[in-house]
Amino acid sequence: MRRCAWPLPRLAARAGLVLRHGGGAPPPRLAAAAALRPAASSSAAAGGGGSRAPDTSLFVPVPLKPADGAPGEDVGAELTRPLDKGEVLKSLNKFYKRKEIQRLGADNGLDARLFHQAFISFRKYIMESSSVSADLHIILNDICCDAGHVDDLFPFFLRHAKQIFPMLDCMDDLRKISDLRLPPNWYPEARAIQRKIIFHAGPTNSGKTYHAIQRFLSAKSGIYCGPLKLLAHEIFQKSNHANVPCDLVTGEERVYANEDARQATHIACTIEMCSTNTPYEVAVIDEIQMIRDPARGWAWTRALLGLCAEEIHVCGEAAAIELVTELMYTTGEEVEVRNYERLTPLTVLDYALESLDNLRPGDCIVCFSKNDIYSVSRQIEARGLECAVIYGSLPPGTKLEQAKKFNDPDDPCKILVATDAIGMGLNLCIKRIIFNSIIKPTINEKGEKEIDLITTSQALQISGRAGRYGSSFKQGEVTTMHRDDLAQLKEILSEPVRPVKAAGLHPTAEQIEMFAYHLPDATLSNLIDIFVSLSQVDGLYFVCNIDDFKFLADMIQHIPLNLRSRYVFCTAPLNRKEPFVCTTLLKFARQFSRNEPLTFDWLCRHTKWPLAPPKNIKELVHLEAVHDVFDLYLWLSYRFMDMFPDAVLVRDIQKKLDDIIQIGVCNITRLIRASQSTAASGAAVAVSEEFPLSRTKRDTRLMSDLQGAKSTVQLPTAMEAPEERRVKSLKAYRSAARREDLKTHGRGSLADRLLREGLLTQEMLRELESEWQVQHRNGRYGPSSKRDDQNSSKETGKKKK
Ligand SMILES: Nc1ncnc2c1ncn2[C@@H]1O[C@H](COP(=O)(O)OP(=O)(O)OP(=O)(O)O)[C@@H](O)[C@H]1O
Ligand SMILES: [Mg+2]
């Protein structure tokens, strides 16, 4: 019998492990194996340093091919003899079942899941390799000949496990990189100066932004950071009108105040775009409560901790004072709080609007779906009234035009129909806000539709648009469209506002790059997952939702890109529910990876530019997506100028497209009619719920749960705890909705099917019902043919118009 000539310590050393031989008793193998615990480092599973154990389900094994040595190169077989694979299999299975080995695995970072996966891979590797390394061969041979113990396999097993799970070997480094406990230290420039923080706190329309902007305008240099392009635009215009040259900077746009494109001393930007390296005298951070936004909160945290300004003016809801003060305590900076009161009264009316016949100039109807926007605006125009329309996915130019039209006292358009896209900081000439509904449909992470009551903060922010100081309406009013909703709205508005508890954080490109250095085989999406699972944050912070990032990372994973470029592509602001925009990103990335510049001609071919004004809603929605594609191009052009060289031309056609979309929006009721007749004739679905809910990523973020604002609204005092009331109301609403659903579902009516398929909204249904009633009354539905019915309904439509 040929015997193993190599002592265990040498083998272990080859396996890259430190062995401390116990000698004598206890039996050397286990004592040696027990000593395999890596000194101090990577006691990962145990969660070294008190940190939580990693989520090992995220550890994707790196595949290892079985060794395929050339014949005659099996040194192990030469030294001993060829392996009996049947015996080897038995020994391996015995090894796997040993409790001591499992414990040892756990000590080395292999929890049950990793242990199992590593073993399956180890066994497969040995069984499928035509030859294994000489040292392993000898040990296996010894075990099969009863001259060795299965425990002797452990060093080889661990070496294999670390090959397929490389994170096990660098857990401490990974933990260090993903340690997000001291974000203030990420901004050395800001820490090098003493900043003064002034918090302008108060309800909506109390002059918070106004006062901060007064200081911004009087400073030698300043930066305004806002949540919306429209707000950045408002400050950009205000500043330039006040003869303080100010640039506009958004992800997709740079507008220079100076003709020679020299940077102005003042900048108005969307918050994600603010620079943390440029020194300013004054910085304004607007809508600070957004710091707790699950997706965008990190941008406020970064601005608050990182802006290099002598004075930082923070504007927002009082609910964020405590958090900002605590954050500034960690930077050693004091916060001065200036409180404001609402400048004009806001009253919740005791009556609902009930009918669009009761509309008055200055009314704004707030809907939570684009379908409702279409339906309501059509009914308004049917009454001979003109209305402006604003919803999230409209291009900024169109939104501005619509707002201008509504604000213009000389324009006949006196009614606004909008989604909650208007619900933050914007100044519009609204007298009365009418909630068309107080429930809001959203799409959850699984892509399922959900509905929920609006939150107190959403209700306050939206209501706060009424009676803006300086507008033609000195008092604001709030009510609902339907009588049943009014009590509920009052209840929602009367609830106290939850304080903002934590600030968002996002891993930086550098951190992810360092992770990738340690885990070169992991996909970007997997790197991010492991980062988040290992990351440690202190109680004042949370890690933002990175689903959009991961979605894009998975989408372009197969395209060969360096990590930096890949990271940039994944941070592109697009709505993942817009297939056309996603496909375009994919095409951009593919062509980018081939080093072929994305030219204007290419983009025109891809988007079929030039495009005609829309003939129906479906075409309008497509144009909005094309606008987003142009936005994407422009966004990328600021990051990869050489590869996206035609920004000027693209900006030009984007402006033209904005005009075309405006024509569509002005003709919106005509488009709705066209869409409805297409749908009725059984052709493509034009007004589908898919479209109304597919807001841009930016808008989705804007509409995410805002924290409540203080309000001067006189509201009924509540006896119950707000949370209880809220749960109760929601329950009441849901059971009512269920009853309603059962009622209609039981009937299995066409209306129900159309509602469920999104072809019909409740609004449309109401409208149809009243039309039918009129027709019945007029005796139109006699025993006539189907064709007659269609004609008569068309006629009614015309008459209504
Ligand atoms: N002292 C003032 N003099 C003139 N106009 C003012 C003054 N204070 C506020 N305004 C105007 O009142 C309107 C509302 O002010 P502002 O936008 O600052 O409110 P806000 O508290 O920031 O509201 P929101 O919470 O909705 O952002 C703006 O049009 C602003 O220009
Ligand atoms: Mg404001």
Side-chain angles (χ1 to χ4, degrees):
M1 185 176 78
R2 292 162 87 174
R3 285 276 340 242
C4 160
W6 293 10
L8 189 61
R10 267 172 65 198
L11 296 180
R14 281 181 61 119
L17 296 157
V18 186
L19 275 182
R20 273 179 265 125
H21 238 305
R29 279 178 203 100
L30 268 188
L36 291 177
R37 282 170 217 168
S41 75
S42 356
S43 46
S51 50
R52 71 199 149 106
D55 176 0
T56 53
S57 67
L58 302 171
F59 292 9
V60 180
V62 178
L64 272 193
K65 276 205 188 109
D68 215 0
E73 281 186 7
D74 191 350
V75 181
E78 265 179 49
L79 290 175
T80 56
R81 60 179 186 175
L83 289 174
D84 175 344
K85 290 282 173 100
E87 283 301 312
V88 169
L89 183 62
K90 275 190 215 154
S91 308
L92 287 170
N93 289 342
K94 198 168 150 200
F95 169 82
Y96 175 64
K97 285 185 194 135
R98 301 236 331 132
K99 288 273 171 291
E100 293 83 348
I101 291 297
Q102 290 166 9
R103 258 199 305 275
L104 209 52
D107 287 345
N108 284 277
L110 297 168
D111 63 8
R113 180 201 305 272
L114 295 187
F115 184 83
H116 177 75
Q117 279 182 280
F119 174 74
I120 299 294
S121 168
F122 183 57
R123 188 176 63 185
K124 188 167 186 280
Y125 176 82
I126 291 177
M127 297 305 292
E128 291 181 8
S129 292
S130 55
S131 64
V132 292
S133 62
D135 45 5
L136 177 57
H137 185 110
I138 292 166
I139 289 282
L140 284 168
N141 186 54
D142 277 3
I143 296 168
C144 293
C145 304
D146 279 340
H149 194 279
V150 286
D151 291 352
D152 295 342
L153 284 172
F154 189 78
F156 301 93
F157 167 69
L158 190 59
R159 182 172 62 184
H160 183 92
K162 286 183 175 180
Q163 274 176 298
I164 67 164
F165 295 119
M167 49 292 276
L168 292 174
D169 233 1
C170 53
M171 203 53 89
D172 278 359
D173 287 345
L174 297 182
R175 279 185 199 282
K176 241 175 237 152
I177 301 166
S178 59
D179 186 344
L180 307 179
R181 281 175 299 183
L182 287 171
N185 293 355
W186 304 349
Y187 308 101
E189 282 105 330
R191 295 297 74 79
I193 56 171
Q194 192 60 30
R195 308 176 312 164
K196 188 173 168 197
I197 317 290
I198 297 130
F199 194 126
H200 302 265
T204 56
N205 193 24
S206 57
K208 303 180 296 290
T209 308
Y210 174 87
H211 283 97
I213 290 302
Q214 291 308 105
R215 182 65 194 100
F216 164 89
L217 294 175
S218 69
K220 284 195 288 296
S221 62
I223 181 165
Y224 166 85
C225 312
L228 301 173
K229 281 183 194 174
L230 289 192
L231 276 176
H233 196 268
E234 191 179 308
I235 303 303
F236 159 74
Q237 280 195 323
K238 232 179 218 167
S239 185
N240 285 304
H241 282 160
N243 285 327
V244 178
C246 176
D247 294 342
L248 175 69
V249 176
T250 69
E252 301 81 15
E253 198 176 13
R254 311 276 187 279
V255 184
Y256 296 104
N258 297 316
E259 275 171 14
D260 56 0
R262 228 177 346 105
Q263 271 199 356
T265 50
H266 288 66
I267 288 181
C269 64
T270 41
I271 192 148
E272 282 85 354
M273 299 307 297
C274 72
S275 155
T276 53
N277 308 316
T278 318
Y280 298 101
E281 185 182 337
V282 166
V284 178
I285 304 175
D286 212 352
E287 305 292 349
I288 186 68
Q289 68 282 355
M290 286 285 286
I291 202 166
R292 52 88 63 207
D293 185 88
R296 292 179 73 200
W298 62 270
W300 275 262
T301 310
R302 175 174 165 272
L304 184 64
L305 298 176
L307 277 171
C308 251
E310 294 159 37
E311 274 177 42
I312 309 251
H313 291 256
V314 175
C315 309
E317 299 170 358
I321 294 176
E322 208 177 307
L323 177 68
V324 169
T325 312
E326 281 191 55
L327 292 175
M328 294 303 104
Y329 180 76
T330 64
T331 61
E333 290 157 331
E334 274 186 19
V335 180
E336 174 191 331
V337 179
R338 295 185 192 163
N339 287 302
Y340 297 82
E341 293 299 325
R342 218 187 130 87
L343 294 165
T344 56
L346 179 66
T347 318
V348 184
L349 300 179
D350 282 329
Y351 51 90
L353 191 76
E354 309 235 27
S355 159
L356 293 174
D357 294 333
N358 301 326
L359 281 174
R360 296 190 312 234
D363 276 347
C364 168
I365 303 181
V366 176
C367 307
F368 294 107
S369 89
K370 234 172 13 176
N371 257 358
D372 282 351
I373 292 253
Y374 297 147
S375 163
V376 169
S377 52
R378 184 186 167 190
Q379 292 175 64
I380 291 172
E381 299 215 357
R383 285 166 169 80
L385 298 170
E386 222 183 292
C387 66
V389 170
I390 298 180
Y391 52 84
S393 57
L394 283 178
T398 308
K399 280 185 200 150
L400 281 173
E401 272 311 308
Q402 294 288 305
K404 213 163 112 190
K405 187 164 120 136
F406 174 70
N407 284 343
D408 181 355
D410 300 326
D411 197 291
C413 166
K414 290 281 159 280
I415 310 286
L416 176 64
V417 184
T419 60
D420 47 352
I422 58 157
M424 215 185 326
L426 289 178
N427 288 300
L428 293 157
C429 289
I430 298 171
K431 161 81 179 160
R432 181 167 60 170
I433 286 281
I434 299 148
F435 284 89
N436 188 52
S437 122
I438 51 167
I439 54 162
K440 183 175 160 170
T442 46
I443 291 183
N444 70 17
E445 278 151 20
K446 290 183 206 145
E448 298 158 349
K449 235 184 277 174
E450 278 182 351
I451 45 169
D452 212 342
L453 280 172
I454 53 171
T455 64
T456 298
S457 96
Q458 284 166 337
L460 285 170
Q461 286 280 358
I462 296 166
S463 308
R465 301 308 108 202
R468 297 293 283 189
Y469 184 75
S471 77
S472 40
F473 300 108
K474 305 291 167 235
Q475 290 192 2
E477 293 171 350
V478 188
T479 187
T480 55
M481 175 65 79
H482 306 290
R483 201 189 310 169
D484 299 349
D485 290 341
L486 190 55
Q488 188 112 65
L489 177 69
K490 285 187 176 182
E491 215 172 283
I492 293 172
L493 284 168
S494 68
E495 285 169 8
V497 171
R498 278 180 300 142
V500 182
K501 287 268 164 54
L505 290 177
H506 196 296
T508 64
E510 292 78 22
Q511 287 165 329
I512 297 303
E513 219 159 39
M514 284 197 272
F515 246 58
Y517 175 79
H518 283 89
L519 307 175
D521 293 307
T523 65
L524 180 53
S525 169
N526 191 227
L527 279 180
I528 289 272
D529 272 338
I530 298 176
F531 186 100
V532 174
S533 109
L534 288 180
S535 65
Q536 296 179 67
V537 288
D538 106 1
L540 295 176
Y541 300 95
F542 67 93
V543 180
C544 282
N545 181 325
I546 32 118
D547 288 350
D548 286 337
F549 183 99
K550 275 175 48 196
F551 171 81
L552 296 183
D554 286 334
M555 193 172 76
I556 60 168
Q557 182 56 42
H558 61 290
I559 298 174
L561 291 169
N562 67 42
L563 190 75
R564 258 307 155 112
S565 310
R566 191 180 293 284
Y567 185 92
V568 172
F569 270 96
C570 296
T571 48
L574 60 79
N575 175 10
R576 57 172 143 146
K577 301 211 171 61
E578 270 180 7
F580 184 59
V581 187
C582 292
T583 324
T584 309
L585 181 85
L586 198 61
K587 290 190 176 179
F588 282 170
R590 196 173 293 135
Q591 193 150 330
F592 181 96
S593 75
R594 293 193 209 114
N595 215 17
E596 291 168 17
L598 278 300
T599 61
F600 178 68
D601 288 344
W602 183 96
L603 192 64
C604 289
R605 273 199 308 280
H606 177 65
T607 56
K608 300 194 171 56
W609 182 263
L611 293 159
K615 289 193 285 301
N616 54 42
I617 293 291
K618 192 179 178 186
E619 286 183 12
L620 175 65
V621 170
H622 177 68
L623 293 185
E624 288 167 16
V626 175
H627 193 278
D628 281 353
V629 163
F630 293 165
D631 255 355
L632 181 63
Y633 185 99
L634 293 170
W635 189 89
L636 287 163
S637 77
Y638 282 110
R639 281 125 191 114
F640 306 112
M641 263 173 213
D642 298 348
M643 297 301 290
F644 295 84
D646 292 330
V648 177
L649 295 170
V650 174
R651 175 148 302 117
D652 209 39
I653 57 170
Q654 196 189 36
K655 284 213 174 77
K656 289 186 181 132
L657 178 58
D658 207 330
D659 292 341
I660 294 171
I661 292 175
Q662 273 177 54
I663 297 173
V665 173
C666 290
N667 288 330
I668 205 155
T669 46
R670 193 176 49 74
L671 299 186
I672 297 162
R673 277 201 305 279
S675 304
Q676 285 169 339
S677 55
T678 327
S681 67
V685 177
V687 190
S688 137
E689 278 290 336
E690 291 307 308
F691 297 120
L693 293 172
S694 63
R695 301 187 179 105
T696 65
K697 189 168 168 180
R698 293 177 295 279
D699 299 318
T700 315
R701 287 165 170 180
L702 297 180
M703 287 178 230
S704 62
D705 184 16
L706 303 170
Q707 283 295 293
K710 249 192 187 168
S711 168
T712 56
V713 180
Q714 293 303 306
L715 296 159
T717 43
M719 301 299 286
E720 294 169 86
E723 267 313 306
E724 267 170 47
R725 260 188 293 120
R726 197 173 157 65
V727 169
K728 238 172 150 180
S729 346
L730 191 56
K731 274 188 190 153
Y733 161 73
R734 283 197 173 132
S735 62
R738 248 196 321 273
R739 277 198 305 277
E740 191 62 28
D741 190 41
L742 272 176
K743 231 165 55 187
T744 356
H745 197 73
R747 283 209 309 267
S749 67
L750 174 65
D752 181 42
R753 258 188 295 134
L754 291 174
L755 277 172
R756 267 185 286 131
E757 286 164 22
L759 291 168
L760 201 64
T761 65
Q762 290 289 357
E763 280 300 333
M764 289 175 178
L765 190 60
R766 276 187 210 117
E767 202 187 345
L768 276 174
E769 274 168 4
S770 55
E771 276 182 17
W772 287 329
Q773 274 164 12
V774 173
Q775 285 162 350
H776 272 292
R777 247 180 271 131
N778 296 346
R780 276 184 185 277
Y781 287 149
S784 56
S785 70
K786 199 175 169 195
R787 204 171 148 268
D788 287 344
D789 285 355
Q790 279 169 357
N791 288 341
S792 64
S793 94
K794 267 187 204 155
E795 223 173 278
T796 320
K798 258 187 225 153
K799 263 192 182 163
K800 258 195 132 184
K801 175 78 183 141

